[in-house]
Amino acid sequence: MSIPSELKRISDTVWELPRSYKAGMLVPARIFATERLIAQMDAGVFDQVTNVACLPGIIDYAFCMPDGHWGYGFPIGGTAAMDPEEGVISPGGIGFDINCGMRLVLTKLTWDEVKPQLHRLVDQLFRRVPAGVGSHGFVRLSHDEFCQVAEQGSRWCLQRGFALPQDLEMTEEGGCFPGADAEKISVRAIERGFNQIGTLGSGNHYLEIQVARPGNIYDEALAHDFGITIPDQVVVMFHCGSRGFGHQVATDYLQTFLAVMGRKYGITTNDRELACAPFRSREGQDYFAAMKCAVNMAFANRQVILHRIREVFADVFGRDPLDLGMNMVYDVAHNTAKLETHEVHGRPREVLMHRKGATRAFGPGMKELPACYRKTGQPVIIGGSMETGSYLLAGVETGSASFYTTAHGSGRTMSRHQAKKQFRGEKLQRDLESRGIYVRSVTWGGLAEEAGPAYKNIDEVVEATELAGLSRRVVKLVPVGNVKG
Amino acid sequence: MPYRYLEEIATADVAFAAWGETREELFAACADALENVMVADLDAIRRVEEMSVRLTHGELDLLLFTFLNELVFYKDARQLLLRVDSLTITGTPGELVLDARLAGERIDPDRHSLIVDVKAVTLHRFRVSETAQGWEAEVVLDI
């Protein structure tokens, strides 16, 4: 049992480690979870979330979401609001895969219409959306053009014909974090990523065809507002990030911060992966501008992939993608730092939100949301394992308890090596097909690592977010076709 | 194999411990441990391309960190899977110099039995230490 004895139950879904738990904690740590989920959390969560609580400038609490698990620096599911004037920015609070995120796309097709074409669809998606180690995208760019992508994100895609205007509106921050500065990224980062636009990556990255079964709709009115309007409607969900480019941006600045953190700024951390610099310092601002480049590249990556998905559907069904109703529900980022205004102790205040393996979940009425979601709250896309299904949630008013942040996925409970020992990729593919899920993967080993039982129960995770008042369930989406990295 | 994957930490990622009688052996073992996360059979990597790298750092652990990052960089930037041919570490603490000869080939999904991509080398629990038997390291990779 890894639960520390100091862990206090604040409510059925809120748990707290007090400042006395660890020397140097500036605020308590709060974990959102049911009793069952907290019992499954590994030792890394408690250690890492309390390390986050030691970072200069942290406001109120270091948080961890119900899908939290052992990460590096922050736990996965870790969230912290920093005072921009007094606080720090840390790549370890964002992750190497900057703006790893989820995108959900509607169709007007029903499962009955798609079923006869499922193999053709998945096979074509598998060919046209490259995945796995060392894969290349179809977009050929010079380094200079890549820098434009990094500064403009989805706007670049719009200019190049890879996006529709409405796609940008349905993307967090319009698909472009302003203030991205390609002068702040290294040539090595460009070299790692400039040919990877339009690629999924590997690990837990995937592209899935899913069905919204009538029995899985939790809130019909909200589902309707989000575009789920017909029984057994088919949707497409995918998960990927900023690829080697973002990984290198984080690696570069981790080293920059490590070199100056103690010597120049007198900051120490419990984990070198939490290397940081004051947000307003030159190094902090340089990283913020470089990180935004990676955020924008990830938005562009997902946008180009959406373009390919639309091409494949158009090809298979012989119809225009818009005639097929292929509009985006939303695109949400998991791994970012962002300046946001939140009410803190009764007053609006600008804070630097670090979210790592956590999703922004703005509630109804928030002005940052597109007009069509101001009443509903923000759509939140939660990716589950390829066996169990995923969820579409909505942000809620009570989300202020976590600076409007919720879970991002189901969270692993089994190591990759254990999963490979326990499952065989070929057998898993056959078993899934017999259960009506057609999977294509670049590798059998990679497929085995992502087997459903390696993850927490997604139903429990999303239920916990609802019980904790962080987000509410709208619809569960079950997989029928999957492309794995 | 002079390395072992650690099941009990960093569940979603991959952690390993590696050993060597010398610092050089340790670095080569870590390189293989990293490549073996991506490729099931290291013997399938043929010696088609060779390259030399020279890296410097004041501290031994961060020299290893820099070296492993180099392998991750070449995997994406040149699609190369690389193993250590020869490696020397010279200099004194504060001014360590690594010279390595690396050999390998471009990623071939048909022949390399690929598993999963290494996104980055993390500094979480990153450690290099001298033991009675030689040297050991612990590394957590982001997957």
Side-chain angles (χ1 to χ4, degrees):
Chain A
M1 184 66 92
S2 55
I3 297 178
S5 57
E6 296 88 340
L7 189 73
K8 280 195 300 191
R9 179 199 284 261
I10 304 295
S11 72
D12 283 350
T13 50
V14 180
W15 307 77
E16 186 170 308
L17 282 166
R19 285 179 60 188
S20 56
Y21 176 70
K22 183 183 279 183
M25 282 175 68
L26 301 170
V27 294
R30 280 204 163 181
I31 302 168
F32 297 99
T34 56
E35 192 161 8
R36 230 174 108 88
L37 287 173
I38 203 109
Q40 291 173 24
M41 282 189 182
D42 50 42
V45 169
F46 305 107
D47 187 39
Q48 293 179 334
V49 74
T50 48
N51 287 341
V52 175
C54 300
L55 291 175
I58 188 166
I59 297 168
D60 285 352
Y61 301 99
F63 295 104
C64 188
M65 299 298 128
D67 53 336
H69 57 88
W70 196 320
Y72 45 85
F74 278 43
I76 308 302
T79 300
M82 301 290 180
D83 181 332
E85 305 309 320
E86 306 291 327
V88 294
I89 185 167
S90 172
I94 295 155
F96 287 96
D97 199 354
I98 297 165
N99 190 8
C100 188
M102 306 289 305
R103 188 171 283 214
L104 182 63
V105 185
L106 300 167
T107 76
K108 278 188 209 162
L109 298 165
T110 64
W111 173 226
D112 280 346
E113 292 170 290
V114 168
K115 195 173 181 181
Q117 302 292 345
L118 181 70
H119 280 230
R120 213 174 135 208
L121 260 182
V122 173
D123 291 344
Q124 279 211 29
L125 288 167
F126 182 71
R127 275 197 297 277
R128 291 175 68 82
V129 183
V133 184
S135 52
H136 286 187
F138 74 97
V139 184
R140 296 277 170 259
L141 297 175
S142 68
H143 284 197
D144 284 348
E145 286 170 314
F146 182 80
C147 288
Q148 292 173 26
V149 176
E151 293 188 346
Q152 298 168 16
S154 298
R155 288 183 205 160
W156 178 87
C157 299
L158 187 61
Q159 288 160 17
R160 289 288 296 261
F162 297 132
L164 304 171
Q166 58 267 39
D167 296 339
L168 275 59
E169 198 189 344
M170 293 302 151
T171 306
E172 192 170 322
E173 300 291 324
C176 178
F177 273 27
D181 183 355
E183 293 290 318
K184 305 301 181 189
I185 57 182
S186 68
V187 174
R188 280 170 79 88
I190 297 169
E191 286 179 11
R192 273 187 75 181
F194 81 103
N195 59 12
Q196 293 183 329
I197 290 179
T199 62
L200 268 184
S202 85
N204 62 358
H205 292 174
Y206 64 85
L207 190 170
E208 209 160 71
I209 299 175
Q210 304 170 337
V211 181
R213 308 256 187 226
N216 287 332
I217 293 182
Y218 288 83
D219 186 319
E220 208 156 320
L222 267 180
H224 195 274
D225 289 339
F226 287 169
I228 308 288
T229 55
I230 47 177
D232 289 335
Q233 189 169 343
V234 169
V235 298
V236 183
M237 179 182 286
F238 57 101
H239 176 218
C240 62
S242 49
R243 310 284 291 109
F245 173 61
H247 312 161
Q248 189 63 38
V249 168
T251 298
D252 288 343
Y253 279 92
L254 182 62
Q255 293 171 92
T256 301
F257 287 176
L258 205 59
V260 299
M261 175 172 71
R263 185 173 50 79
K264 191 169 170 185
Y265 298 112
I267 300 169
T268 53
T269 56
N270 292 332
D271 178 352
R272 282 191 291 182
E273 188 61 40
L274 286 172
C276 56
F279 178 62
R280 294 293 184 207
S281 68
R282 184 177 61 79
E283 293 86 356
Q285 289 295 298
D286 284 354
Y287 171 60
F288 196 43
M291 183 216 71
K292 288 174 175 177
C293 288
V295 165
N296 292 343
M297 186 277 189
F299 283 138
N301 189 29
R302 291 198 286 275
Q303 186 60 50
V304 167
I305 289 174
L306 170 57
H307 177 75
R308 295 292 261 189
I309 293 168
R310 283 177 172 150
E311 283 181 349
V312 167
F313 271 74
D315 187 36
V316 169
F317 291 97
R319 287 163 68 186
D320 184 87
L322 284 182
D323 182 42
L324 290 169
M326 298 192 72
N327 293 307
M328 281 174 60
V329 177
Y330 209 53
D331 178 303
V332 291
H334 292 156
N335 295 359
T336 61
K338 216 163 55 166
L339 285 168
E340 293 174 0
T341 300
H342 291 275
E343 197 172 291
V344 180
H345 309 146
R347 288 214 309 268
R349 181 172 168 188
E350 187 176 57
V351 298
L352 178 67
M353 286 305 305
H354 285 71
R355 294 189 181 96
K356 181 177 179 189
T359 313
R360 190 192 78 174
F362 279 174
M366 294 181 75
K367 66 179 188 329
E368 295 84 352
L369 294 175
C372 61
Y373 297 141
R374 294 254 170 85
K375 278 190 182 158
T376 59
Q378 180 201 307
V380 174
I381 304 155
I382 304 277
S385 79
M386 61 189 162
E387 299 188 44
T388 53
S390 300
Y391 275 85
L392 179 59
L393 314 179
V396 291
E397 287 91 345
T398 47
S400 57
S402 62
F403 292 92
Y404 295 97
T405 306
T406 190
H408 86 310
S410 44
R412 281 190 85 93
T413 53
M414 187 188 290
S415 77
R416 294 182 170 277
H417 276 78
Q418 183 61 36
K420 262 190 308 215
K421 274 187 228 162
Q422 205 160 318
F423 306 102
R424 287 275 165 270
E426 297 93 320
K427 183 171 183 308
L428 188 60
Q429 190 197 39
R430 284 196 304 273
D431 290 350
L432 286 172
E433 183 141 26
S434 69
R435 285 160 48 196
I437 307 167
Y438 178 53
V439 181
R440 289 291 307 268
S441 175
V442 179
T443 96
W444 295 124
L447 186 64
E449 288 187 5
E450 297 298 320
Y455 284 89
K456 286 177 194 169
N457 181 332
I458 183 90
D459 302 324
E460 286 182 24
V461 169
V462 295
E463 187 183 13
T465 74
E466 189 166 301
L467 292 171
L470 307 181
S471 48
R472 61 189 292 194
R473 288 170 289 189
V474 178
V475 55
K476 180 177 181 177
L477 302 161
V478 294
V480 289
N482 182 304
V483 173
K484 280 232 57 75
Chain B
M1 281 192 310
Y3 53 89
R4 179 173 71 85
Y5 294 104
L6 306 172
E7 304 274 353
E8 61 277 15
I9 61 173
T11 322
D13 297 299
V14 170
F16 68 82
W19 305 270
E21 283 188 18
T22 62
R23 297 180 301 183
E24 286 80 0
E25 281 182 17
L26 173 70
F27 276 48
C30 288
D32 272 357
L34 185 148
E35 298 288 331
N36 208 177
V37 171
M38 299 189 281
V39 183
D41 178 12
L42 292 181
D43 292 335
I45 303 174
R46 296 193 293 218
R47 297 165 51 95
V48 176
E49 290 195 38
E50 291 186 28
M51 62 184 347
S52 298
V53 295
R54 168 169 277 219
L55 303 166
T56 58
H57 207 286
E59 295 161 58
L60 184 66
D61 59 348
L62 293 179
L63 186 65
L64 175 63
F65 178 71
T66 309
F67 173 59
L68 295 177
N69 274 317
E70 203 72 3
L71 297 172
V72 174
F73 171 75
Y74 284 117
K75 174 264 302 173
D76 279 333
R78 291 178 52 188
Q79 290 77 52
L80 284 174
L81 300 169
L82 294 165
R83 301 187 73 187
V84 172
D85 217 4
S86 64
L87 187 149
T88 59
I89 298 168
T90 54
T92 51
E95 285 181 353
L96 294 166
V97 181
L98 175 150
D99 283 293
R101 191 91 191 131
L102 305 172
E105 64 174 328
R106 283 174 69 95
I107 295 166
D108 178 353
D110 291 333
R111 216 161 34 72
H112 282 136
S113 186
L114 298 169
I115 309 172
V116 72
D117 194 20
V118 173
K119 289 178 178 171
V121 184
T122 83
L123 280 174
H124 177 55
R125 296 168 71 117
F126 194 92
R127 180 176 62 80
V128 175
S129 50
E130 196 167 8
T131 65
Q133 289 76 37
W135 293 85
E136 72 174 34
E138 191 174 300
V139 179
V140 177
L141 302 170
D142 184 25
I143 299 301

